[in-house]
Amino acid sequence: MAGPAKSSEKAKSADPKSADPLVGERMRVWWVPTKDKERTGYAGAYWPVRVLAKAGKAKYTVEYDNMEQEDVLQEHLSTIDVPVAFGKEKIPLQPGEFVEESNGSKTDPCAWLAMIVQHLANGKYMVNYPFHDTKPETIKPKLLRRARVLDAEGWKLAKPHQHWKDGDIASPLEMETIPEADLGMYVPLPKEKPAAGQSGVKPSGKTASKGSSIKKRGATGPPSAAVRTSSRIKT
């Protein structure tokens, strides 16, 4: 992936006359694992952007929240309007599920892709990071939500407990997915107690830092982002 536009490059603005439905939209872009040392610490996460213009057959020019711009592949863009907010899952997360983890920033938010390892007694979750070589971390429930992917049939969950060889998968869009209604086939779901006077079951409907260093993105990565080192490169 090309780095964000250098300051010497002429900045673009969204073309209000563009017929392309993505131009002008607020979206998010997935940063794939990379060997580029200036970018690898920010990879494996979604970053919010505004789409400015079409930039070729399969690319768009986007602008990050820090006003930096770069051209990204269309396949790495997805809607920012995920149906469930962080910390608002009705069913408790279970070990083996894939989740998005908010970095907790209001000014430069991102969402890391993680997997639940354990639900701890204090209510927090131990998670690891499939796209990063970093140790598991303990995360508060309010910073997590299930990893979802939008396809032609609607929103799907990332299939729990799936594994892959390093380099085989570089994006959540490449992961196996399942309908949300099938989640109980892959992880044990807690049974809800019926409300008083009822029979049956009541239906249920960073900046957190990663690693030991935080650096601001100049021309090579989103600002105020936690840096991770990764060797999980797509071949």
Side-chain angles (χ1 to χ4, degrees):
M1 293 173 58
K6 302 294 189 297
S7 58
S8 60
E9 297 178 5
K10 185 177 180 180
K12 298 179 181 180
S13 58
D15 182 3
K17 298 181 181 180
S18 175
D20 193 299
L22 296 186
V23 173
E25 288 296 308
R26 178 76 168 167
M27 303 188 75
R28 60 182 187 169
V29 60
W30 172 257
W31 276 37
V32 300
T34 174
K35 292 181 180 179
D36 186 342
K37 294 181 180 180
E38 296 295 332
R39 295 175 68 88
T40 187
Y42 307 104
Y46 290 105
W47 295 92
V49 296
R50 190 165 73 100
V51 180
L52 300 182
K54 187 78 173 178
K57 185 177 181 180
K59 289 186 176 182
Y60 284 87
T61 300
V62 301
E63 183 175 80
Y64 293 94
D65 287 354
N66 68 342
M67 307 302 290
E68 288 181 1
Q69 299 178 8
E70 71 168 330
D71 293 344
V72 302
L73 291 172
Q74 181 177 352
E75 66 186 67
H76 295 155
L77 286 169
S78 60
T79 178
I80 201 168
D81 298 321
V82 181
V84 179
F86 290 104
K88 299 299 183 180
E89 295 287 351
K90 294 182 179 180
I91 301 174
L93 301 170
Q94 301 298 316
E97 287 197 78
F98 290 90
V99 295
E100 292 182 17
E101 175 200 325
S102 169
N103 68 348
S105 173
K106 294 182 179 180
T107 58
D108 193 33
C110 83
W112 302 99
L113 195 287
M115 187 183 79
I116 301 293
V117 176
Q118 183 180 1
H119 191 189
L120 305 176
N122 61 8
K124 297 180 180 180
Y125 290 90
M126 182 74 71
V127 304
N128 62 23
Y129 303 92
F131 297 103
H132 284 273
D133 294 328
T134 190
K135 295 181 180 179
E137 299 181 10
T138 301
I139 306 298
K140 296 178 180 179
K142 69 178 183 179
L143 298 176
L144 300 174
R145 67 183 175 198
R146 288 182 170 88
R148 292 173 170 86
V149 174
L150 181 63
D151 64 17
E153 298 179 350
W155 286 98
K156 302 284 186 64
L157 296 179
K159 180 182 175 181
H161 297 293
Q162 61 183 293
H163 299 279
W164 58 86
K165 295 180 180 179
D166 288 354
D168 283 355
I169 291 180
S171 164
L173 294 176
E174 300 173 12
M175 297 173 67
E176 294 182 71
T177 59
I178 61 170
E180 195 151 352
D182 292 347
L183 180 60
M185 298 171 59
Y186 299 90
V187 295
L189 300 181
K191 296 181 179 180
E192 295 188 34
K193 297 180 180 180
Q198 295 182 350
S199 60
V201 178
K202 182 181 179 181
S204 63
K206 204 173 158 225
T207 302
S209 64
K210 302 286 175 263
S212 59
S213 62
I214 298 177
K215 73 176 182 180
K216 293 185 178 180
R217 175 165 69 108
T220 55
S224 304
V227 178
R228 292 195 179 102
T229 301
S230 172
S231 66
R232 302 185 183 278
I233 311 301
K234 184 178 181 181
T235 54

